[in-house]
Amino acid sequence: MVEQSDRAPLLDWEEGGFEAAAPPDEPGAEARSPVAGGLTERRLAGWEEKDQIVAVFVVTFDTRSGNTVEWCLPQDVNLEGVEFKSMASGSHRIASDFIYFRKGGFFGLACFANMPVESALERGARMKSVGILTPSYTLLYRYMHFLENQVRHQLKCPGQYSPLEAFYEDKKAILPPTGNGLVTACPPSTKGVPHNRCCMNPEMKITHPAGCMSQFIHFFGEQIMVLWKFALLRKRILIFSPPPIGVVCYRVYCCCCLANVSLPGVGVSVPELRPFFYINVADISALETEVSYVACTTEKIFEEKKDLYDVYVDNQNVKSHRDSLQPLLRLNSADREKYRKLSEQRQMLLYSHEVDGDCTSSEEDLFILFFMEQNNRIFQTLSEVAGSADPTLTAEHVRAMGLDPQGDRTFLVDLLELYGIDAMLVIDNPCCH
């Protein structure tokens, strides 16, 4: 267990625009799904996570030695590589950014800023990042505002670390000396919600800044359905984008949300879909052993390293070099129908907000529940067929799952194999379509 330090009464580091999850059985612990499209109301348990700041640091760009860790607490913490993770390659071209990343068993958030200065030594620009490490990414966003203010402070008043020292003393985590430091993407078991190794809705509810999922839908459009299949199949997904990389870190997070399943026992034998967030060339050796992840990078060289990923996303272009995955890149009629339903539900939700003033549901709720219910329907049907006297998947079963009997054949075959579901798919003839 990570213990919480005594909170200094006058220190309030959380960004005012967000609220922590309400404890179970208190007002605010309830998440409502939109009635639009037949989604039903459901109660989801919430929890409050303790402050768990493992480290706080300042990274600077030095014209002679490059990216360096200028200051940190605790002083003996291992921050090797953080100087590159917290200042993305190509950041010198932009004024500010934020970056989510992994460091061993921890997650980090850093805010970067670039300020013009009249200094020949600094070549006319001062660049710094201020960041933190925690054992979980679920509440990192709460410190975004503080980190943004602090990086601006560091640019204007280099070397004045007292606010960061006070922050660390207030928020520092006391980690068990025997702990292995391993972190999963999922929080501890949540009362009242079926839980498995897939990321669950309550965590998603309190993690994201408002609007990141609606932006995700706008950006990828129908291609979301392609990403959804790759996420369910636990493929290694790498998203390339030039800086700024912050919004792309949100796309990593949204991709992980596509694979949510709330049926007990589903996915316990498959690899966890791990959000790596921002990666650079220093992460190559770590990625070589990963069988499933979602990550983003600003470094184009990764595209050539095809052994490190299964799916490469460049802007809205989703592609794969693997022949076996080519059929999954093609949208079919069922994909377009699902996207049409999602768009229709979003429009109805926005209409209810505008006309009725009913804002109990958000686009984020709708997005998460839409894919969770789709996934639940697939695995529920597969489970029922596998447990029946005749474990044969027919075209009718496939359509009932919201899939295309012909277009989704490869997807279903891969899904049955990955999840170890003992059912047989016999759809060989286009006449079954």
Side-chain angles (χ1 to χ4, degrees):
M1 289 290 292
V2 175
E3 298 176 9
Q4 184 181 20
S5 62
D6 292 334
R7 184 185 177 90
L10 297 180
L11 297 178
D12 186 12
W13 310 109
E14 286 78 16
E15 183 168 3
F18 299 105
E19 295 179 359
D25 305 321
E26 286 190 14
E30 191 168 297
R32 298 181 182 274
S33 63
V35 217
L39 296 181
T40 56
E41 291 188 359
R42 61 189 59 196
R43 182 174 176 82
L44 294 167
W47 67 85
E48 284 190 299
E49 241 181 291
K50 295 180 179 179
D51 296 314
Q52 302 179 357
I53 304 301
V54 174
V56 59
F57 57 86
V58 178
V59 166
T60 191
F61 175 76
D62 185 277
T63 53
R64 290 163 296 186
S65 50
N67 295 13
T68 58
V69 177
E70 167 189 318
W71 174 91
C72 67
L73 279 178
Q75 293 180 352
D76 59 350
V77 66
N78 176 13
L79 292 179
E80 183 182 356
V82 164
E83 66 270 29
F84 301 108
K85 292 176 181 288
S86 58
M87 200 176 283
S89 176
S91 291
H92 60 280
R93 302 187 190 98
I94 58 175
S96 63
D97 200 2
F98 62 93
I99 307 166
Y100 284 78
F101 61 90
R102 287 182 73 107
K103 162 63 178 166
F106 300 110
F107 291 92
L109 170 63
C111 288
F112 164 83
N114 181 354
M115 184 178 77
V117 290
E118 293 183 7
S119 165
L121 184 63
E122 295 177 282
R123 297 180 187 170
R126 182 176 299 159
M127 292 177 279
K128 293 182 185 288
S129 279
V130 176
I132 54 175
L133 286 181
T134 73
S136 167
Y137 64 81
T138 56
L139 293 184
L140 280 171
Y141 73 86
R142 295 174 66 180
Y143 306 109
M144 179 89 74
H145 189 61
F146 171 72
L147 295 174
E148 287 174 339
N149 286 336
Q150 284 304 304
V151 74
R152 286 193 290 266
H153 174 71
Q154 287 299 318
L155 288 174
K156 294 173 183 174
C157 309
Q160 294 189 9
Y161 307 119
S162 53
L164 293 173
E165 291 168 346
F167 170 81
Y168 177 71
E169 284 305 312
D170 183 52
K171 298 292 186 183
K172 65 183 177 183
I174 303 171
L175 298 174
T178 56
N180 58 15
L182 296 178
V183 179
T184 66
C186 296
S189 182
T190 309
K191 178 183 174 183
V193 180
H195 189 72
N196 59 29
R197 292 176 67 198
C198 300
C199 301
M200 292 300 299
N201 180 270
E203 178 188 6
M204 298 301 135
K205 179 68 181 160
I206 63 172
T207 302
H208 60 74
C212 81
M213 290 183 188
S214 59
Q215 292 170 12
F216 182 69
I217 296 170
H218 283 302
F219 185 78
F220 283 111
E222 291 181 336
Q223 290 294 311
I224 285 178
M225 297 304 164
V226 174
L227 292 171
W228 162 65
K229 293 174 192 177
F230 287 133
L232 269 187
L233 292 175
R234 298 297 193 266
K235 298 303 178 185
R236 299 171 300 169
I237 303 171
L238 181 58
I239 305 173
F240 167 79
S241 175
I245 200 68
V247 67
V248 191
C249 290
Y250 288 155
R251 289 174 197 155
V252 168
Y253 159 75
C254 291
C255 275
C256 290
C257 292
L258 297 173
N260 290 347
V261 181
S262 63
L263 298 177
V266 174
V268 293
S269 62
V270 302
E272 180 189 350
L273 189 65
R274 292 156 64 90
F276 262 67
F277 299 108
Y278 175 72
I279 59 169
N280 57 29
V281 290
D283 296 301
I284 288 175
S285 59
L287 290 179
E288 287 173 341
T289 59
E290 290 296 325
V291 294
S292 175
Y293 70 82
V294 186
C296 61
T297 187
T298 59
E299 300 184 16
K300 195 72 173 174
I301 191 173
F302 272 97
E303 186 173 10
E304 302 168 12
K305 300 189 176 298
K306 293 180 166 53
D307 56 324
L308 296 180
Y309 63 85
D310 303 307
V311 179
Y312 188 83
V313 183
D314 186 345
N315 203 23
Q316 286 105 329
N317 184 21
V318 183
K319 54 189 178 181
S320 175
H321 57 281
R322 302 193 180 280
D323 292 341
S324 61
L325 298 182
Q326 296 307 308
L328 277 72
L329 293 170
R330 293 190 287 270
L331 287 166
N332 57 53
S333 57
D335 294 327
R336 292 190 173 91
E337 176 62 14
K338 282 192 287 290
Y339 185 75
R340 186 193 65 77
K341 286 181 179 177
L342 176 62
S343 300
E344 187 178 83
Q345 290 179 20
R346 288 180 66 225
Q347 290 304 315
M348 291 178 70
L349 177 67
L350 296 174
Y351 180 77
S352 70
H353 285 180
E354 186 176 338
V355 175
D356 305 327
D358 177 14
C359 296
T360 55
S361 301
S362 70
E363 284 191 83
E364 280 68 27
D365 293 330
L366 187 150
F367 178 91
I368 291 167
L369 290 172
F370 180 88
F371 284 99
M372 181 183 286
E373 293 190 345
Q374 174 65 44
N375 298 340
N376 286 352
R377 191 194 330 171
I378 289 173
F379 286 110
Q380 185 67 44
T381 303
L382 293 178
S383 176
E384 289 171 358
V385 171
S388 67
D390 180 16
T392 303
L393 270 175
T394 66
E396 287 71 28
H397 288 132
V398 176
R399 291 192 192 97
M401 290 187 283
L403 301 175
D404 185 305
Q406 294 300 320
D408 285 319
R409 179 179 176 80
T410 301
F411 170 60
L412 268 173
V413 169
D414 291 351
L415 202 69
L416 291 171
E417 182 180 355
L418 176 66
Y419 288 81
I421 298 170
D422 193 13
M424 186 167 56
L425 184 62
V426 287
I427 307 165
D428 297 313
N429 197 323
C431 70
C432 299
H433 183 56

